Structures are given as structure tokens and as C-alpha cells.
Amino acid sequence: MPDEKPTLDHEHLPMKLGTEFISTFYRLLKGTTLYDRKSVVIDRLSQECLQVVNGIIQWEGNLLLKIVRDRFFFNNTRIIASPEKYLIFKAFWQEMRKRRIGGIEFSEAVSGEHLTDLACLLSGLEENNESNYLSVKEQLEHRRIESIEVGKLEFSKDEDISVDSEDQKKYSKEVYFRSIGLVKEVVESIHQQKTLPIRKAKRLMQNAVNAVMQDDSTLLGLANIKNYDEYTFNHSVNVAIYAMALGQRIGIPKKQLSHLGMAGLFHDMGKTKIPEEILNKTEKLSAEECSVMRSHPVVGTELIMGMKEWGELSARMMEGAFEHHLRYDLTGYPRLTQKKKITLFGRIVATADFYDALVRPRVHHRFPYVSEKIVGIMLERSGKDLDPAIVKVFINMIGVFPVGTLALLNTNEMGIVTQVQEDTELIDRPKVCLIYYSDGEYRKGKMVDLIEADEVSGDFKRSIVKTLDPNEYNINVAEFLI
Ligand SMILES: [Fe+2]
Ligand SMILES: [Fe+2]
């Protein structure tokens, strides 16, 4: 359904219409894999998509969506996903790519029946079959549907087209724990005044960028686990992951994403020079101790300045280190003598740093906030301490119930959030791995999608009632994520 009336802005119109088509058609396509085509759910999804399709045809004369490699073209204009629609574009792209379909065209207004036919035909296709488009064509002809055409997906031969999701998860896990090891190595090198393993860090962040681009769920889940022992090491890696995952959503190019990862990884390096007694002090810091603590952005920047040979990279790393405690309204620390705008990398790292500090219990905050509260706190700080545009993307990315959250459902089942919904309108309905108790421990049950609705009533089958603390139930969340 169109969100707002179409504007006459020629730059944005294809983007808006294309996004509406992709969102509603993806929902319908997904629906046909879950429900019977005669169900009320399919009927509703089909009507929603139909309005968009016929509206576009009325406005533009036709509707042609083409996918060329990982790019989308709507009526021959390239369209790029907005951060909120990033996941839905990606999910739609994966569905189409799996089926080797690279184009859909409507030449005139269609009926709801024909639109549902198309979605069912597409969802029933086998994976990786190059001639899929031919069988859809045949079926459409057979049903005398002349106004719809589909095309083949073009991709270059050397493209790695199918990635095993289990392998992907293992790879993400490896990247995460290797990064923790690396942060330890960096900290030791600083203490022993040895040269920092920058080349190694850079390579690792390039691997992390690949993992984030393929599937960031596992990495975001690992970052969100609250019961690690060593706060400092995990914190640096988590900030790097949040920053990169956010960066890809706002369209930062690949090379710079790894720089952003480095800026995240090294943002608190100045803390290695702060005495342990101050770092770990549980009581309130004295004014003097507080100013020592607050020197870490400057100390960190000085450490990075010693790595001049890294040129642009060290400039980006300095932004993370120097600016991560500066607030959006330029208060915070270090005190600026000249007010200048905080850089994009600085604002991203500051948001990631703020979030990670909120979710994790540590010396100064014994109890972590529950996820429902965190979104509220972030929004409260938005515009004052944090960049509102970045906060918005960040919340969409993390969801109300982040990956790794233990939740109680209205069915009295317990589950762990494994994936945030592609569709930001359904941000409170993630995908969940059910868990059950048997033989003295919690075990993995089936995967359920909280957008699943009852075929007759159309009501959601399961909803989250509240979140639970995994420590209280002795549940190691990581085991259920990987
Ligand atoms: Fe810091
Ligand atoms: Fe930090």
C-alpha cells in the first residue's frame, strides 16, 4: 500500500514506486511459501500488492523490475534501497537469485488472481535451475496471462552464487572470535610497547566486512550476547561490528566499511594507558580520576598518530578514537575549543559505543537494561547526544528484540531471537528458535517466524510477551545461534 501520495519529484518517484513494489511483492511471495493460496492471509497480501502494481501501471503505463547482478532497475532507472528497506531488498534479491529470475514486467493492469498466480509460480520453482524463467513463461501462457512477463537472471560465471548458510555462520563465528584474539594482541602490544599488528587487523576487518555483507545476523547476535567474561575485548569487537553493519545499510562502500571496522575496533585503545584501579573502580570516580578516565579519546588518538604510514586508514581510526564521546550537539569530551561538525565515522562509532555500553552489564552498571527499554533510551538521546538519522537506522537494524534475545511467547513457549524481520514494519515480530527443557537442559526446538498468521482468522500465531534474562535460566545463547 502506498505510504504517502506519489510526489512529482522525478528523481525520487522511481525509487518510491520501485520500493513499494518490491516490499509488497516480497511479502506476497513469502506468504505463498507459508500459506495456502486460498487463505485470508494470501488474499490480504495479494490485495495490498495489487493496489501498488495497478497504481504504478496507471501512473507509469507499465512496470518493469530488472535485477542485474546485485542492482535493481525500476522502469530502467536504477533504484537503491533506503536503510529501512535494506533488508527487504536483500531478501527479495536472494529469493530471485535462488530461482534465477532477473525480471518481472507488467504491461497492463492485472487481476488479484493473476498476481497471486505469478507469486505461486515463482515460489514453487526449484533452486538454481537456469531454465526456470522458461517454465514460468509456459505456465503464464497456459493460463492465458498475457500482461505478465518474467526474465532470466544474468550474472557472471565467476560469481559465487550459492553460499551455504551453515558455512556462513561458521565463518562469522570464526571472524568474531579471531577479532577478540586480535584485540587482546593489540592491547598486549601497547603494554609491551611493541609494534601493533595493524596489517593483521586490517585483513581481519576485510573478512569481517565480507561476513557482514553476506549475513550480518550471526555477527549481530554474537555482539549482543551479554554474558561474556571480558567486557573490554568484546566491547571493541562489538562496536566494530555494529558500525560496519550500520555502514552497509547507509551505503558506505566496501573499502571504507573495513576502515569503519578499524575505527570501531580501535576506538577505546586509549584505555590501555589508563591505570587498572581507575578502569575497574566500582565506586564513583573522584574528579581527578574522572579526568584521567576522560583522557582516553586523546590518548587513543595519540597512539594512532604514531601509525602515520597507514594514511587514510589512520585518519579514519582517529575519528573513531577522538570523537566517540563527543555528542551530536558537540558537548561531551574531549572539550572542543573550536566547534566543528563530528565526522560520519565519529557519529557511527559513538552510536555503536553507546548501544554496546547499554546492553552489557559491567563494572559501573551491574544490570543490563532489558531490550524493550534500550530503544526508548536511544530515542531519548537522539538529536541531543546521538545523530537522529543514525539512531533510526540503528534501531531498525537491531530491532526491538535483538538477535540473541531470550523471549517468552504468548503460547507459553520460550525462544531465542535468531533473525530480525526484513520488513521494518514488523520490527517486533522477529524469527525465533523455540527452545524446550528436557533431560536437565534446554534444547533447540523448531524455528518459527512471528509473522506467521492463522490461515482462517488471519491473527498472528505467536507474539512475544516479554524478554527473559538467559543467565537466570542458565542458557548459553551462543549455542542456539550457531
Ligand atoms: Fe570510550
Ligand atoms: Fe567504548
Side-chain angles (χ1 to χ4, degrees):
M1 229 179 339
D3 301 333
E4 309 146 33
K5 283 179 203 136
T7 64
L8 283 167
D9 188 334
H10 293 293
E11 285 261 308
H12 293 110
L13 194 58
M15 201 87 101
K16 182 172 157 52
L17 297 179
T19 301
E20 276 170 9
F21 172 66
I22 289 172
S23 310
T24 54
F25 190 71
Y26 172 74
R27 277 181 219 149
L28 176 61
L29 187 67
K30 203 72 209 296
T32 58
T33 64
L34 293 166
Y35 309 102
D36 188 88
R37 79 165 284 171
K38 295 203 168 51
S39 74
V40 286
V41 185
I42 295 299
D43 190 49
R44 196 189 65 223
L45 295 172
S46 170
Q47 286 305 318
E48 275 174 11
C49 185
L50 187 71
Q51 262 195 33
V52 171
V53 170
N54 288 345
I56 291 171
I57 288 165
Q58 209 177 13
W59 192 265
E60 300 259 300
N62 75 320
L63 186 170
L64 169 65
L65 184 82
K66 235 178 132 36
I67 302 174
V68 181
R69 296 194 179 185
D70 56 354
R71 296 175 170 193
F72 289 88
F73 294 86
F74 175 81
N75 285 356
N76 298 317
T77 304
R78 178 157 181 217
I79 55 169
I80 295 164
S82 64
E84 300 97 85
K85 296 292 177 186
Y86 173 81
L87 278 185
I88 225 168
F89 269 61
K90 192 166 165 183
F92 179 66
W93 177 75
Q94 281 166 340
E95 293 297 326
M96 298 291 274
R97 186 171 155 119
K98 228 164 42 186
R99 297 175 171 88
R100 300 291 198 266
I101 301 292
I104 301 175
E105 182 169 20
F106 298 87
S107 51
E108 52 189 83
V110 285
S111 67
E113 193 64 22
H114 286 174
L115 188 61
T116 312
D117 276 341
L118 173 68
C120 291
L121 281 174
L122 291 180
S123 68
L125 291 172
E126 12 174 318
E127 287 189 16
N128 307 329
N129 185 340
E130 299 283 335
S131 53
N132 269 342
Y133 77 107
L134 290 173
S135 66
V136 178
K137 268 178 193 284
E138 227 168 74
Q139 285 291 326
L140 291 171
E141 254 168 53
H142 180 74
R143 295 175 199 197
R144 299 185 192 286
I145 305 176
E146 285 158 1
S147 48
I148 306 177
E149 277 271 355
V150 295
K152 190 182 177 187
L153 178 73
E154 309 287 344
F155 59 93
S156 55
K157 283 276 168 283
D158 54 330
E159 248 182 291
D160 180 15
I161 195 147
S162 45
V163 188
D164 187 321
S165 65
E166 283 307 309
D167 282 354
Q168 191 56 55
K169 282 183 182 177
K170 267 187 222 146
Y171 180 67
S172 300
K173 186 183 164 190
E174 200 189 302
V175 165
Y176 187 85
F177 289 102
R178 269 172 51 205
S179 306
I180 303 275
L182 178 92
V183 176
K184 286 186 188 167
E185 200 181 319
V186 169
V187 171
E188 263 162 44
S189 311
I190 294 176
H191 284 153
Q192 295 163 8
Q193 297 186 333
K194 287 199 294 203
T195 17
L196 300 186
I198 297 291
R199 201 178 295 273
K200 197 169 162 186
K202 206 178 153 196
R203 240 182 292 125
L204 195 51
M205 284 304 106
Q206 277 156 357
N207 293 340
V209 168
N210 291 333
V212 161
M213 289 176 94
Q214 293 285 349
D215 154 50
D216 52 19
S217 282
T218 310
L219 281 174
L220 289 174
L222 288 167
N224 206 52
I225 290 169
K226 298 176 178 68
N227 47 0
Y228 292 121
D229 317 323
E230 292 162 313
Y231 172 77
T232 333
F233 303 134
N234 287 289
H235 173 66
S236 302
V237 176
N238 296 346
V239 170
I241 287 168
Y242 293 133
M244 286 185 285
L246 188 130
Q248 79 161 341
R249 282 167 167 75
I250 58 169
I252 293 181
K254 198 172 172 183
K255 187 183 159 203
Q256 264 140 54
L257 275 185
S258 71
H259 290 180
L260 182 57
M262 290 290 281
L265 206 61
F266 284 81
H267 80 281
D268 264 340
M269 278 309 125
K271 282 195 179 168
T272 53
K273 299 281 189 193
I274 309 276
E276 294 269 330
E277 319 82 81
I278 299 181
L279 271 184
N280 299 328
K281 191 170 172 186
T282 45
E283 302 88 59
K284 204 174 181 305
L285 299 179
S286 70
E288 201 181 317
E289 287 166 335
C290 200
S291 80
V292 175
M293 187 71 166
R294 291 187 164 195
S295 68
H296 80 269
V298 173
V299 175
T301 308
E302 283 165 2
L303 277 169
I304 297 165
M305 271 159 77
M307 317 172 196
K308 278 198 199 72
E309 66 276 23
W310 292 96
E312 194 201 332
L313 172 63
S314 63
R316 296 290 91 82
M317 284 161 66
M318 271 190 254
E319 292 172 357
F322 189 78
E323 299 177 354
H324 76 275
H325 288 288
L326 278 173
R327 295 178 177 165
Y328 185 60
D329 61 9
L330 293 174
T331 58
Y333 62 93
R335 286 255 179 279
L336 297 179
T337 44
Q338 237 178 343
K339 301 265 180 210
K340 67 168 184 76
K341 216 173 166 264
I342 306 171
T343 62
L344 177 65
F345 277 27
R347 280 174 281 149
I348 294 176
V349 173
T351 309
D353 181 54
F354 181 80
Y355 176 81
D356 194 61
L358 275 186
V359 295
R360 224 155 305 281
R362 53 183 175 141
V363 190
H364 304 285
H365 310 268
R366 284 236 163 262
F367 302 100
Y369 292 107
V370 290
S371 23
E372 295 94 316
K373 215 172 159 195
I374 287 170
V375 173
I377 298 176
M378 302 267 304
L379 287 172
E380 213 181 277
R381 304 293 186 91
S382 173
K384 286 178 271 171
D385 299 358
L386 305 168
D387 179 342
I390 289 173
V391 169
K392 198 173 155 214
V393 181
F394 199 90
I395 292 174
N396 277 331
M397 170 176 95
I398 295 293
V400 182
F401 305 110
V403 175
T405 302
L406 179 65
L408 177 70
L409 309 180
N410 61 344
T411 49
N412 249 333
E413 293 162 303
M414 259 164 97
I416 290 172
V417 175
T418 53
Q419 220 183 322
V420 170
Q421 213 55 255
E422 292 96 17
D423 199 337
T424 45
E425 283 166 40
L426 298 159
I427 198 166
D428 56 343
R429 309 206 145 267
K431 293 167 192 169
V432 166
C433 170
L434 294 180
I435 55 173
Y436 64 94
Y437 193 78
S438 132
D439 289 334
E441 59 178 334
Y442 283 98
R443 292 165 197 274
K444 227 178 190 163
K446 67 169 178 174
M447 298 289 290
V448 294
D449 192 328
L450 299 191
I451 61 167
E452 255 182 80
D454 185 90
E455 306 230 347
V456 184
S457 68
D459 294 337
F460 290 115
K461 283 187 180 168
R462 295 180 178 82
S463 302
I464 292 178
V465 178
K466 63 169 182 174
T467 60
L468 305 167
D469 177 5
N471 293 323
E472 231 173 82
Y473 293 84
N474 242 326
I475 292 172
N476 180 0
V477 174
E479 278 173 26
F480 295 87
L481 288 179
I482 306 152

